[in-house]
Amino acid sequence: PPRTGSEPGAPPPLPGPAADRVAEMDPFEGKLLDDDKLARVNIACSDWRDHWKGRFVPQAWRMLAKCMAQDCAESLSGWPGTANYGCRWTEENGLCYAYQEAQLWCTLHPDEDETRRRYGRSLCYDGGEDWAIAPVGIAKKWKLTRWMPLAGCSCKKNCACTNKACWCKDLDEQPVGSNPKELWAAKVFETTSKAGQCACQCMGYNTWGS
């Protein structure tokens, strides 16, 4: 059953009217799925899923890196001044649902058996409670979210990078993920302007185009 907010470690409950409105949303007409019944994910992720998934060529890895950078940025989007809660819930490929309504809907419908019975497929895949802030997850603040990229990829959160240097919110920012071919610049400069951004690479191909 959906969390009520009374369980140990559960996020605070949504306000009644908001919870009711999102809970009753039809995923086939709302923010989860598009007209072709495909999950509404971030634009680079949609491009990778629809055109490059399963193709082991440089263009595919580079598009996946761009996808991971967009999902990574979404995972940080709970920081002050932004509208989202982060990325806890994904579709079957592990790509973040792009809309906050979808993240909320999945929080209220976490039972895969229920969604299979009602909609003929599993819709919500849980990355983990610590991947998002309340009310979608339990992370205390945006910088403590624990989103991870897909296998073969790694990302530096709150950073922008080139082959020569990275500019990060924190000098000690470490990459997350499992990428056997990752290579990050040794020089790191501190700047708050990169908060909420991500630099990612997948199997030797990166978001900065080299």
Side-chain angles (χ1 to χ4, degrees):
R3 289 182 176 274
T4 64
S6 60
E7 301 90 342
L14 293 170
D20 293 343
R21 185 167 58 253
V22 173
E24 293 171 1
M25 184 177 72
D26 184 343
F28 290 92
E29 297 177 359
K31 298 291 188 178
L32 275 82
L33 306 175
D34 63 19
D35 293 340
D36 294 323
K37 306 299 188 287
L38 294 173
R40 291 187 181 275
V41 295
N42 289 305
I43 188 167
C45 295
S46 177
D47 196 352
W48 174 79
R49 178 194 64 196
D50 298 344
H51 303 292
W52 297 103
K53 178 186 172 186
R55 299 177 64 183
F56 303 100
V57 296
Q59 297 95 320
W61 290 117
R62 198 178 302 284
M63 183 56 65
L64 182 57
K66 292 179 179 179
C67 165
M68 290 297 95
Q70 290 184 355
D71 277 5
C72 178
E74 181 183 341
S75 79
L76 300 174
S77 62
W79 65 295
T82 62
N84 291 339
Y85 307 114
C87 167
R88 172 179 177 178
W89 300 97
T90 75
E91 46 82 91
E92 62 268 25
N93 297 297
L95 309 177
C96 298
Y97 279 109
Y99 290 96
Q100 64 174 350
E101 292 93 338
Q103 295 289 331
L104 292 171
W105 190 92
C106 286
T107 303
L108 296 166
H109 299 83
D111 189 333
E112 288 189 27
D113 292 334
E114 175 200 353
T115 56
R116 276 195 294 266
R117 285 194 305 270
R118 295 181 63 182
Y119 306 110
R121 61 193 270 200
S122 296
L123 296 177
C124 303
Y125 294 78
D126 192 357
E129 289 183 323
D130 57 358
W131 276 30
I133 62 172
V136 169
I138 62 171
K140 299 298 184 183
K141 50 187 176 180
W142 67 270
K143 67 187 300 182
L144 298 178
T145 56
R146 294 290 183 263
W147 173 89
M148 296 284 283
L150 296 180
C153 300
S154 56
C155 295
K156 291 191 78 169
K157 300 179 179 182
N158 302 302
C159 294
C161 296
T162 68
N163 284 342
K164 295 182 178 180
C166 288
W167 291 260
C168 299
K169 182 177 181 294
D170 299 307
L171 287 176
D172 60 351
E173 188 68 53
Q174 298 298 310
V176 298
S178 175
N179 178 2
K181 294 187 177 182
E182 70 177 359
L183 183 63
W184 299 97
K187 290 184 179 180
V188 181
F189 301 97
E190 187 173 14
T191 172
T192 58
S193 67
K194 303 308 176 185
Q197 299 182 33
C198 295
C200 298
Q201 48 182 285
C202 298
M203 296 302 291
Y205 299 92
N206 55 53
T207 49
W208 51 92
S210 59

